[in-house]
Amino acid sequence: MKDSNNGDEEFINQDNPPFIWCLVGNIIEERYVGEAKVIGKGTKKFSPNSKVYCFPALWGDGYEEIKVIGRTRRRRNYSIVITSSKYITNWRLQKVFAPYIVKTMLANRGWDGTEKSKDTIMSMLMWLPNVTMKIIETGENMKSQGEVGDLD
């Protein structure tokens, strides 16, 4: 029988952590597609409401384009995709235990199980909901709100 302290030390080892803190969101249900501004469901890669695990900022674009892990529309297995943050809603902090997500995040400079990651995500949650694209019906006209680069 193992001593509980020894088992805990192995479990906390960063090579095989039990969990990571992760920024998680869902793909929006509707968005504008093309020049004709036709309303589309989800995105090209993800179905509406698909859960995505978002990487931290990896380049200096103000978190407009982000790397995510999610189950894709056609393959139904996890894939790493670059998508626009304006197509993600329901931002939240989550403890992730799924071995594939944990391994992939750690191997690609993603989130980890430290308090620093948790604190960074909490600070991001203060401004991230404002970047999500929203479709608002105003009488006969439809318009988007919160779109990055929107001049309205």
Side-chain angles (χ1 to χ4, degrees):
M1 188 168 176
K2 279 188 175 181
D3 181 15
S4 63
N5 289 340
N6 291 338
D8 289 343
E9 289 172 9
E10 290 176 21
F11 207 53
I12 294 172
N13 183 356
Q14 278 299 87
D15 293 336
N16 189 19
F19 71 91
I20 60 169
W21 293 108
C22 191
L23 179 62
V24 177
N26 297 93
I27 299 298
I28 60 174
E29 289 190 33
E30 297 179 332
R31 68 181 178 97
Y32 290 122
V33 180
E35 291 179 18
K37 301 285 186 186
V38 176
I39 295 178
K41 304 286 184 189
T43 66
K44 183 176 179 180
K45 293 288 184 181
F46 296 110
S47 300
N49 295 317
S50 295
K51 184 177 189 179
V52 290
Y53 302 88
C54 306
F55 281 83
L58 299 174
W59 43 82
D61 69 347
Y63 215 62
E64 288 180 21
E65 298 292 320
I66 57 176
K67 186 191 260 191
V68 300
I69 302 171
R71 293 191 186 273
T72 57
R73 190 183 281 266
R74 290 170 186 86
R75 292 182 47 176
R76 303 304 302 161
N77 59 348
Y78 286 115
S79 295
I80 298 175
V81 177
I82 306 296
T83 192
S84 179
S85 61
K86 67 184 176 183
Y87 299 139
I88 301 174
T89 189
N90 193 21
W91 298 96
R92 60 200 180 273
L93 169 70
Q94 191 171 40
K95 262 186 183 181
V96 177
F97 295 90
Y100 177 80
I101 304 298
V102 172
K103 180 182 169 188
T104 305
M105 279 287 178
L106 293 174
N108 292 285
R109 297 183 316 166
W111 303 110
D112 55 29
T114 63
E115 286 297 313
K116 181 181 178 193
S117 286
K118 182 180 178 182
D119 293 342
T120 303
I121 294 168
M122 290 301 290
S123 66
M124 290 174 74
L125 289 173
M126 302 295 250
W127 57 268
L128 270 173
N130 297 329
V131 300
T132 302
M133 184 177 88
K134 296 172 184 75
I135 296 178
I136 300 172
E137 291 188 42
T138 56
E140 294 179 16
N141 298 332
M142 303 279 281
K143 73 176 202 173
S144 65
Q145 179 182 26
E147 204 170 325
V148 177
D150 197 10
L151 299 176
D152 290 338

